[in-house]
Amino acid sequence: MSFSLFECQDGTLVVVPRGLTPPLEAYKAHGEFLHLSDACRDLYDTSLWDEISREVDRTLYKVVTREVALRIFDVPDRLRTD
């Protein structure tokens, strides 16, 4: 599965299936969102990827830390330096 990364109004980073936006639950919990990246790094078959995939399969999104986002996505420079 391919993923997309979004940043919510409260600064929360959310991973969702590529082609989708964060579901209503994420919107209600974290506010409006901005698409950051679809450029996933090749981490398939890793425990991190498996963990994210399981949660996304279950709830259609996964909240991740900045460190995780930087590990699995090519992201805009502002996310790297904030």
Side-chain angles (χ1 to χ4, degrees), residues 18-59:
R18 188 173 184 174
L20 298 180
T21 58
L24 185 57
E25 288 176 29
Y27 177 80
K28 286 179 179 179
H30 305 288
E32 293 184 25
F33 44 82
L34 173 68
H35 178 261
L36 294 180
S37 181
D38 289 328
C40 289
R41 300 180 190 273
D42 294 327
L43 292 174
Y44 308 110
D45 296 325
T46 64
S47 60
L48 176 60
W49 196 269
D50 290 345
E51 175 190 335
I52 291 170
S53 293
R54 278 192 301 274
E55 185 68 16
V56 169
D57 282 346
R58 201 172 61 75
T59 64

Side-chain angles (χ1 to χ4, degrees), residues 4-8 10-15 34-39 41 64-82:
S4 294
L5 178 67
F6 288 83
E7 183 176 24
C8 299
D10 69 359
T12 301
L13 298 171
V14 176
V15 175
L34 173 68
H35 178 261
L36 294 180
S37 181
D38 289 328
R41 300 180 190 273
V64 296
T65 64
R66 178 186 304 262
E67 293 77 20
V68 169
L70 292 172
R71 185 168 170 208
I72 64 174
F73 287 95
D74 288 325
V75 296
D77 287 340
R78 71 170 186 75
L79 188 62
R80 293 182 181 284
T81 59
D82 282 350

